[in-house]
Structure formats: C-alpha cells, structure tokens
Amino acid sequence: RKLDEIGPLVVGITGSFGKTTTKACVAEVAELRGPAYATPASFNSYLGVVRAINEGLTAKHRSFVAEMGAYRLGDVAELCDLVHPRIGILTAIGPAHLERFGSLDAIEQAKGELAEGLPPDGTYITTADDERCLRTIERTEARVLLFSAAGSDASDITAERIEMAEGTTRFVLRHSAEEVTVRSK
C-alpha cells in the first residue's frame, strides 16, 4: 500500500554477488532524479524489504532501490510481486549459496525470476559476459540492456580501462560512441 501511495520508480537488484555494491551505485545515480531510498544493509529478504519500506521509504522518495536475495526458488518472484520493479538488474550467477540450491541451474532459475517479474515496458539489465545471465533474457518481455567489463560485442554498455588504486576505482564507461570517465569517491 505504501509503495502504491508514494509511487517511486522501483529498481530491483539480484545476483549471486555484487548486489549490495550495485545497489549503492544505483541509488547514487537515482539521486539525480530526486531523493532515492535503498534497502539498508542486506535487507534483501521478503521481511527485510517490507521492513525497509515501512521504516524508511517516505513520500519524498522518487526512487526505491531494492536488493533481492534468493534463499530458495520463488523468493525473487515473491519480492517482484511485492515491489513491482520497472527496472531489474541481474549482477551475476555463480556458486554462492550452492548448498541451498543444489546446482547452478537452480540458481539461474531463481535469479532469472527477476526477468519474469518486469513489465513489458520495463528494462532488464544484465551482463553479456556470462552465458547463464544471457539465457535469462529469454524470460522477459522488457527491454534488455547488456553490460560488459570483458569487451563483449553483444554489450550495449562497457567498462574499459578499469584501474583500482589508492582506494578508488576508475574506468571508462562507453555507450555507443559516447564515453565518460568514472571515478569512485
């Protein structure tokens, strides 16, 4: 009910790793369109996201960035039913939580629930560098954007010349013929 009343742009983020960092970066960029609120810490379960909404989301927020954890099949789908993301980001599919899921195929199935949970006029973002992530795009009707740090020709957005030194990360972000240098604070 609170999400319906406030009506923020909702971004859902899942993956085997990189969710929390991606959430922080997306929330920072979302601030460009007005106040953004991201689920705190690792509040990425159904109850954690509900708590984050009830305790932190206010009428001033124009964007809500929800980290979506998966502890079993159906968890991400349940979170999508709760928050109705318009943008979904799948960071990676890997062996994290393999003991819970039993196989990488099951992890792929669980993480791909985000692709299915997006509306046709939504946007699904994932990596072009992982065949499992690429397979999940078949599960969405949303617009798909692919990113790459490995120079994949299939990507729409690439990170090139990545350097990490003195506590900062710097890279060149390329989209079509445009590029910009990005540096962490």
Side-chain angles (χ1 to χ4, degrees), residues 25 70 74 83 106 127 153 182 184:
C25 294
V83 302
T127 179
D153 291 337
V182 178
S184 67

Side-chain angles (χ1 to χ4, degrees), residues 43-110:
F43 281 41
N44 64 13
S45 67
Y46 189 87
L47 291 178
V49 173
V50 168
R51 181 176 171 198
I53 292 167
N54 287 331
E55 294 178 3
L57 190 68
T58 67
K60 74 177 183 183
H61 293 115
R62 303 232 13 241
S63 302
F64 174 54
V65 184
E67 182 174 331
M68 299 177 161
Y71 301 93
R72 61 179 172 76
L73 285 172
D75 281 353
V76 173
E78 186 174 53
L79 285 164
C80 287
D81 287 343
L82 173 68
V83 302
H84 304 286
R86 294 198 37 79
I87 299 172
I89 302 170
L90 172 60
T91 61
I93 295 172
H97 309 301
L98 192 56
E99 73 284 355
R100 289 186 194 139
F101 288 98
S103 71
L104 282 172
D105 290 340
I107 294 170
E108 178 183 330
Q109 183 66 31

